[in-house]
Amino acid sequence: MPGITTSAIEVTHVSKHGFWLLLDSEELLVPFAEFPWFKRATIEQLTDVEWPSRGHLYWPQLDIDLSVESIRHPEAFPLVAKARR
C-alpha cells in the first residue's frame, strides 16, 4: 500500500531582490518588485510557507495567499497591492 504523497516546498535563497522557492523540483523567483508585501518580512516569516494544493501557496504568519501561476507568470496578474510603509 503506497504512503501519502506530500509536496516539498522550501525557501532556498533570500536576497535584496527577492527569494527563491523550491516546489518539488521547480525553483521559482519571487521578486520583491512584483510581490512587495514580502519585502519587509523576516526570514522566519518567509520560510513559514505551506503548499495546501498544487496551485496555491500560503504564508500563515503574513496571511498571504498566492497562486503558483502568479509567481510563474506575474505579467498575467497585473494588479499589485501596495506594500505598507
Side-chain angles (χ1 to χ4, degrees):
M1 176 177 224
I4 297 171
T5 302
T6 58
S7 299
I9 183 170
E10 181 182 357
V11 173
T12 60
H13 181 75
V14 180
S15 78
K16 67 180 183 177
H17 303 289
F19 63 99
W20 285 258
L21 285 172
L22 183 62
L23 306 175
D24 284 335
S25 62
E26 179 182 19
E27 194 165 37
L28 298 170
L29 171 62
V30 182
F32 296 138
E34 299 288 337
F35 302 94
W37 46 91
F38 289 112
K39 188 169 184 146
R40 302 244 185 264
T42 65
I43 298 295
E44 179 183 353
Q45 292 169 324
L46 288 177
T47 58
D48 184 14
V49 56
E50 300 171 1
W51 196 5
S53 67
R54 297 305 293 169
H56 176 240
L57 300 172
Y58 179 60
W59 284 262
Q61 292 186 42
L62 299 168
D63 195 27
I64 295 174
D65 290 278
L66 280 182
S67 158
V68 174
E69 282 303 304
S70 72
I71 299 171
R72 287 183 184 128
H73 305 287
E75 68 282 357
F77 299 83
L79 297 178
V80 176
K82 299 261 185 215
R84 291 186 204 153
R85 297 199 182 258

